[in-house]
Amino acid sequence: MPAMRIKLTSVTVDDQAKALAFYTDVLGFALKRDDPAGEFRAITVEQRDNPGEIELMLEPNAHPASQAFQEALRKDGIPVAIFFVDDLDQEYARLKELGVSFLHEPARSDWGYQAVLDDTCGNYIGLFEG
């Protein structure tokens, strides 16, 4: 039986254009696709250094259930996604220089060395060193 793998996953965003700018210009992902999808767009980004592996869709947050889920996670300070970086201190300094707001600065926990940033589009994103 072939192994199952993740090829595409998504985060809901309250503004697709703003999310695209943040995820590419600030976080450093590369645009993979940007296609019309009715009143929205089908936008995906991928890692610049490993293209073709995993795409992250910047999904419009138009459904009431999606909005409630996003708001509940945000209210409780729960990241919607976790991204790994090689050097968290370096990445934290780079992102702070770009004006990124952090819910939690880098700290050690039972889970590892981590920080949590605000993606400006309704989500918290965890950064882990690893």
Side-chain angles (χ1 to χ4, degrees):
M1 171 182 242
M4 192 176 299
R5 60 196 162 111
I6 298 171
K7 183 67 176 165
L8 174 70
T9 190
S10 65
V11 295
T12 58
V13 297
D14 56 19
D15 182 322
Q16 285 187 293
K18 186 176 178 182
L20 178 57
F22 184 83
Y23 280 77
T24 56
D25 299 343
V26 177
L27 295 185
F29 290 100
L31 175 64
K32 172 73 176 190
R33 64 187 55 170
D34 186 352
D35 301 316
E39 64 180 285
F40 300 107
R41 296 155 59 188
I43 301 171
T44 64
V45 296
E46 64 183 353
Q47 301 172 129
R48 286 187 191 279
D49 62 348
N50 202 7
E53 283 297 308
I54 300 171
E55 292 178 60
L56 177 66
M57 179 170 277
L58 305 177
E59 188 81 40
N61 190 9
H63 192 281
S66 176
Q67 293 167 8
F69 178 72
Q70 186 182 45
E71 289 171 15
L73 289 180
R74 188 166 178 85
K75 178 180 175 261
D76 290 344
I78 299 172
V80 69
I82 305 293
F83 300 151
F84 282 77
V85 297
D86 292 330
D87 184 328
L88 182 58
D89 291 326
Q90 181 181 348
E91 191 64 12
Y92 175 78
R94 181 186 78 80
L95 293 172
K96 285 295 281 187
E97 181 75 20
L98 292 172
V100 173
S101 174
F102 281 80
L103 179 65
H104 298 292
E105 297 179 358
R108 301 214 179 269
S109 74
D110 292 341
W111 294 91
Y113 193 43
Q114 61 186 328
V116 178
L117 65 84
D118 184 336
D119 80 349
T120 73
C121 302
N123 303 297
Y124 291 128
I125 303 291
L127 297 180
F128 275 70
E129 185 173 283

